[in-house]
Amino acid sequence: MALFTFVFAVVSPAFGCPLCFGSTPYELGLYWSVLFLLPVPFVIVGVLIAWIRRQSDGNIKEG
Amino acid sequence: MTAAPADSIASDRPAPLVSKVGMALFIGTEAMFFAGLISAYLVFRVGNPNWPPAGQPRLPVESTAFNTLILLLSAAFCHRAVSTLRAGLARSSAYWLGLTAVFGLFFLVLQGREWIRLVQFGLTLTSSVYGGLFYTLIGVHGLHVLAGTALVLYVLKRSVEGRYSAAYPLGVELARMYWNFVVALWPGLYFLVYLL
């Protein structure tokens, strides 16, 4: 019970990315840049896989 | 000395799909590089409500919009170069490649002219974060346009030498892939840096 009280009442909330949850313009800038960068690798790899599949399908049809 | 048989020449040529995948991977790394630069720009752009900062010149929106059109047209010409080569019209393809290179150079000249004016108005690489970000982001893209134009000119030279045909348009297709990437990037950068 004491531990529960300590964790949820005494200790202030800890965020994984404290800067991202701020409200100053600089923190918002970081927030948006993180949000922008997060999906980029997935988009690039996704487009690459889709493109390779399209190319190989075309090769099979031609061949 | 005997001439090499046609089969051995054909086997010396790189395989089209492998070459294209290599170019696609290279473009993927380039896209990641630009994503990093754009991310850095966003940190400062969103982090500064007063943008451009006081005392810094405004960017030439209208003339750069015209320049954007030039670059988009060059991509259409490059596409036409590939389609005419596939149709067996090698000379016509070389013509469209030449036009692509000319429009690429035109874009660079117009950008250079705007940069000279901006430097005269006091916007330099070290004048502010605004200037530093602008010249880094737009300058790196300009370098890519320069590299793309050099690639198109190289492919044009080889095309005039008769190295590409409807059966083997690989070099022109690779140049188009890179050029399309460079052109596709620009409207996004224009919106981000000039309009946002």
Side-chain angles (χ1 to χ4, degrees):
Chain A
M1 188 64 190
L3 183 67
F4 182 84
T5 310
F6 177 75
V7 169
F8 289 100
V10 179
V11 176
S12 56
F15 293 114
C17 175
L19 282 173
C20 304
F21 294 91
S23 56
T24 66
Y26 177 69
E27 289 162 345
L28 279 175
L30 280 174
Y31 173 77
W32 280 107
S33 73
V34 169
L35 215 60
F36 168 73
L37 270 186
L38 266 177
V40 168
F42 300 100
V43 170
I44 291 173
V45 172
V47 168
L48 207 64
I49 290 170
W51 179 83
I52 290 172
R53 279 197 66 172
R54 211 178 125 221
Q55 289 287 320
S56 58
D57 283 355
N59 277 9
I60 290 166
K61 276 176 193 163
E62 279 175 21
Chain B
M1 193 170 166
T2 54
D7 282 353
S8 75
I9 293 171
S11 64
D12 285 346
R13 288 171 168 175
L17 186 59
V18 174
S19 304
K20 285 182 190 174
V21 169
M23 178 57 91
L25 285 172
F26 174 65
I27 289 171
T29 62
E30 291 274 78
M32 205 60 220
F33 171 64
F34 272 99
L37 286 176
I38 291 168
S39 170
Y41 182 84
L42 279 176
V43 171
F44 290 99
R45 173 65 189 89
V46 181
N48 286 287
N50 299 321
W51 196 265
Q56 294 293 303
R58 298 294 179 268
L59 299 175
V61 176
E62 291 84 10
S63 60
T64 312
F66 174 71
N67 224 0
T68 305
L69 196 67
I70 295 289
L71 207 56
L72 291 173
L73 272 174
S74 76
F77 295 153
C78 200
H79 182 76
R80 191 107 175 102
V82 173
S83 60
T84 48
L85 186 61
R86 280 183 184 154
L89 304 166
R91 283 191 69 174
S92 175
S93 170
Y95 167 77
W96 290 112
L97 276 175
L99 220 50
T100 305
V102 166
F103 272 55
L105 285 172
F106 191 61
F107 173 85
L108 286 172
V109 169
L110 281 184
Q111 284 288 90
R113 196 175 134 258
E114 294 301 342
W115 279 33
I116 290 168
R117 287 182 64 196
L118 285 171
V119 169
Q120 285 168 348
F121 283 126
L123 187 71
T124 64
L125 200 61
T126 53
S127 63
S128 63
V129 174
Y130 177 60
L133 283 171
F134 171 77
Y135 286 113
T136 305
L137 198 53
I138 304 301
V140 165
H141 181 265
L143 282 176
H144 279 74
V145 174
L146 186 65
T149 307
L151 178 66
V152 170
L153 284 172
Y154 175 70
V155 169
L156 171 64
K157 176 184 161 283
R158 287 172 65 91
S159 184
V160 169
E161 289 169 359
R163 292 184 184 238
Y164 304 120
S165 62
Y168 193 73
L170 182 63
V172 184
E173 285 177 343
L174 292 176
R176 182 182 66 165
M177 281 176 74
Y178 185 74
W179 192 252
N180 277 350
F181 166 71
V182 170
V183 172
L185 204 59
W186 179 249
L189 290 180
Y190 174 67
F191 174 76
L192 190 71
V193 176
Y194 288 81
L195 300 180
L196 204 65

